[in-house]
Amino acid sequence: MRFSPLCRHIFLLCLCPLALLSQSKIPEIPPNEVGFPLPYYSPVSGTFAEIRNHNLHLGSDFKSYGLNGHSILATFDGYIEEISYSKTGYGLSLNLYNPKYKVKSKYAHLHSFGGSLYDLELLRRAVLLMGDPTGFQLKLTPGMFSVKKGTSLGKTGESGSGISHLHLEFRSEKGIINPLYFPEIHQKDTTPPTILSLYLEGDHLENPILLTAKEKTKGKYDLYTDSGELFESIPLTGKIRFRMSGYDFIRSRNKNNVYGMDLSVNGSPIFSRNFDFLSYEDGSKKHQFYDINRSSLAPPVYFYHMYEQSKNFKEEGYSLDLEGYKPKETLQLELSLRDATGNKSSVFFKVVHEKNETETNRFSKNKRTGNKYSSNDGKIILDFSKTEVSGEGSLLLTEVSEKEVPFKIPTGLPLKGKIYQIDTKKMSWKGEGLGEWNLGYMPTNKESLYFYDSSIGKFQSVTHKKKANGFSFRLTKLGYIMVLSDETPPTIFPMTSLARYIELPEVRNHCFEDRYYVLGDTGSGFRTSVDLTIDGQSYPYEYDPDRRAIRVTIPKSLQKERPYLLLEAKAFDFAGNVSEPFVDLISTSGWSEELQASCPVME
């Protein structure tokens, strides 16, 4: 078997046996023929195989520092194979194809084409004028737009979804390649991944154990129990599962997905995974790699399966079967996370092959009928009949007091009634579990259902509806559920973190001034409709869901008539609370220098 120089490089870099398996799936394009996609060495802000709402993130995101209009560069020699546009998803995108190695790179969320291929930009405009302005997909004749590595192909933007950034994918005939696989693209950092916790579950372990990881020295972590004791060994038998949570800091300082992971017993590897390649089929099966009921995108918390998970989601996999070891045998375990540069972080502990007789059950027993569960008091019912359930375990639904929870309820949101903890034992589910909470009365306008996500340590929204006797809701995560009363008004402020412009001069519209105002609320959530006036007259605006702000576009031609504009706005939340009036006095001086004869004039 012959290995390309690139595969030998990655193998030595990662010291991972699975790199041998991946070499046949990834085209053997020489490393020096793959270049960086931007004219500056931009940090990665989103990595390959990260969790998204429905599928996995199949590329890398590169920072454009909130500005549209940076040039995108051809990563290799080839020709433009396809251009497309949609209002959601990839937005404006193009595919660059290399016929020699049969690999393509996809650039998404663009502002425009052009650069060295101005005719490509003219084609985009013509297609939108003559066709459907909401979107198109156009295959191009091979060789019509041929380019060399480093050629400028277009401009970065924010079309489709998300704020300004460049999304880059590499695709082959068999699947999708992690951009960080290529040495010229991966971020050369010296910081190993961060380990947050280890989740331990066993067939003969009464309840799962969640251990907290704390860094002892660079790349070496100790584990601690929930009582703060150092965790060094545990007696176990039968099949056991490990799920490790963590992330990787790259140059951007974003909390990103790791590149790989390993599990070894007595120094011998028994499990290893690289996020260097995914088949097209696996791109939609995030449950194979993550505990989807504990993992999160915002903020990023990844609970990795340290074992192979069944593709059909029915049978739960396992990390280690202790029945294959001698009684009383002590096993030294190392669990590790790796980044694309080869930095590694590990936890170490011992497992003694014997039954644990001391573990006690800290959860209350719940009533169960099929895939329906109810709390002991019968107030809450959770139905998983319409979800895909993996494992032979059960849901744990426990009533807890406010003093027992690991969080503080925000000021201005008083608790109404009980708090319930939702956890699992040897079970996970894919989809939305259906819940009913019988309060015995109709909730008031200010009362809403609140959910505290255990994995990320943060309150998250949960889909729910008010009913005559309480709430119905949908559940995808584990944590604490409660009813709070929203007594706090929403807020509205100017977006000070944004520069005056979000476009570079070469793509900026000089006829208009954009102003952004951020909406916020600590309670039931803000409404995206506001009361907004300029100089006392109602004025239009657009809500930007990615920035959680309203955008007010003002023609600069107003400068001819008004030296100042008085903007006033009020925000509303779903509990009926109203914000304090916000006032912004906008000076139009300085706009005249940027006026063009073609700009519209306000009469």
Side-chain angles (χ1 to χ4, degrees), residues 200 202 204-205 231-240 242 265-266 320-333 348-358:
L200 192 160
H204 299 284
L205 193 61
F231 179 85
E232 296 180 288
S233 65
I234 184 172
L236 292 171
T237 189
K239 294 177 181 177
I240 55 178
F242 301 114
V265 177
N266 296 333
L320 186 62
D321 189 353
L322 293 172
E323 296 301 332
Y325 293 88
K326 298 176 183 178
K328 306 293 183 181
E329 184 174 355
T330 299
L331 309 178
Q332 177 66 54
L333 273 64
F348 302 86
F349 62 95
K350 296 177 182 178
V351 170
V352 181
H353 183 205
E354 58 180 292
K355 188 173 182 180
N356 187 345
E357 303 289 351
T358 61

Side-chain angles (χ1 to χ4, degrees), residues 129 155 169 171 173 186 248 292 341 389 403 445 531:
L129 284 172
K155 302 293 185 181
E169 296 180 9
R171 298 182 176 188
E173 294 178 321
H186 82 63
D248 184 29
I292 57 178
T341 311
V389 176
K403 295 180 179 179
N445 187 44
D531 277 350

Side-chain angles (χ1 to χ4, degrees), residues 444-481:
T444 66
N445 187 44
K446 291 185 178 294
E447 291 179 338
S448 293
L449 210 56
Y450 288 76
F451 181 75
Y452 182 85
D453 191 326
S454 299
S455 61
I456 63 176
K458 183 180 178 182
F459 279 92
Q460 294 283 83
S461 61
V462 56
T463 303
H464 67 279
K465 291 182 179 179
K466 294 180 180 179
K467 302 178 64 178
N469 62 344
F471 294 95
S472 62
F473 59 94
R474 298 177 183 272
L475 192 70
T476 60
K477 302 291 294 299
L478 298 171
Y480 299 81
I481 197 163

Side-chain angles (χ1 to χ4, degrees), residues 5 18 22 24 51 64 72 95 97 158 234 245 305 312 329 350 401 415 418 440 455 484 508 539 546 567 595-596 601:
L18 287 191
S22 66
S24 61
I51 295 172
S64 59
I72 61 168
N95 291 347
Y97 182 67
E158 54 184 73
I234 184 172
S245 73
H305 292 313
N312 65 15
E329 184 174 355
K350 296 177 182 178
S401 68
L415 176 66
K418 300 178 178 180
S455 61
L484 304 179
R508 187 180 305 155
Y539 196 85
D546 297 305
L567 181 147
L595 287 176
Q596 300 177 5
V601 178

Side-chain angles (χ1 to χ4, degrees), residues 274-516:
N274 262 3
F275 284 125
D276 57 357
F277 177 90
L278 282 178
S279 68
Y280 291 111
E281 177 189 7
D282 287 343
S284 62
K285 296 183 177 179
K286 57 188 176 184
H287 66 273
Q288 289 185 194
F289 313 111
Y290 304 101
D291 181 338
I292 57 178
N293 304 131
R294 291 181 172 83
S295 298
S296 167
L297 168 64
V301 175
Y302 304 102
F303 269 85
Y304 302 101
H305 292 313
M306 303 298 286
Y307 53 87
E308 293 294 340
Q309 179 67 299
S310 170
K311 289 189 176 184
N312 65 15
F313 196 71
K314 297 302 180 184
E315 303 88 24
E316 189 73 22
Y318 60 90
S319 304
L320 186 62
D321 189 353
L322 293 172
E323 296 301 332
Y325 293 88
K326 298 176 183 178
K328 306 293 183 181
E329 184 174 355
T330 299
L331 309 178
Q332 177 66 54
L333 273 64
E334 177 184 2
L335 290 85
S336 307
L337 300 178
R338 287 179 282 104
D339 65 19
T341 311
N343 301 302
K344 183 176 76 168
S345 293
S346 301
V347 295
F348 302 86
F349 62 95
K350 296 177 182 178
V351 170
V352 181
H353 183 205
E354 58 180 292
K355 188 173 182 180
N356 187 345
E357 303 289 351
T358 61
E359 180 71 16
T360 58
N361 189 355
R362 65 182 179 89
F363 293 98
S364 61
K365 299 296 183 182
N366 306 127
K367 302 173 184 177
R368 177 179 182 180
T369 305
N371 273 327
K372 292 184 179 181
Y373 301 84
S374 62
S375 57
N376 284 338
D377 58 10
K379 297 292 185 181
I380 290 188
I381 298 175
L382 289 169
D383 184 358
F384 293 91
S385 302
K386 295 183 179 180
T387 67
E388 293 184 66
V389 176
S390 174
E392 72 283 4
S394 61
L395 187 85
L396 306 170
L397 185 56
T398 312
E399 182 184 335
V400 293
S401 68
E402 186 174 352
K403 295 180 179 179
E404 296 176 297
V405 297
F407 57 87
K408 290 185 178 180
I409 295 175
T411 303
L413 302 176
L415 176 66
K416 299 294 182 178
K418 300 178 178 180
I419 302 174
Y420 295 88
Q421 182 183 6
I422 302 167
D423 208 339
T424 56
K425 175 186 176 183
K426 292 190 287 185
M427 167 197 167
S428 61
W429 77 90
K430 184 170 63 173
E432 293 183 322
L434 304 179
E436 297 285 340
W437 189 336
N438 183 6
L439 295 175
Y441 65 89
M442 177 70 179
T444 66
N445 187 44
K446 291 185 178 294
E447 291 179 338
S448 293
L449 210 56
Y450 288 76
F451 181 75
Y452 182 85
D453 191 326
S454 299
S455 61
I456 63 176
K458 183 180 178 182
F459 279 92
Q460 294 283 83
S461 61
V462 56
T463 303
H464 67 279
K465 291 182 179 179
K466 294 180 180 179
K467 302 178 64 178
N469 62 344
F471 294 95
S472 62
F473 59 94
R474 298 177 183 272
L475 192 70
T476 60
K477 302 291 294 299
L478 298 171
Y480 299 81
I481 197 163
M482 68 210 77
V483 178
L484 304 179
S485 180
D486 184 358
E487 307 293 341
T488 60
T491 58
I492 178 169
F493 294 107
M495 182 173 279
T496 54
S497 62
L498 261 183
R500 181 181 177 189
Y501 298 107
I502 64 170
E503 295 94 7
L504 291 173
E506 52 264 39
V507 299
R508 187 180 305 155
N509 188 330
H510 292 271
C511 298
F512 297 92
E513 174 86 359
D514 280 338
R515 294 289 177 122
Y516 287 86

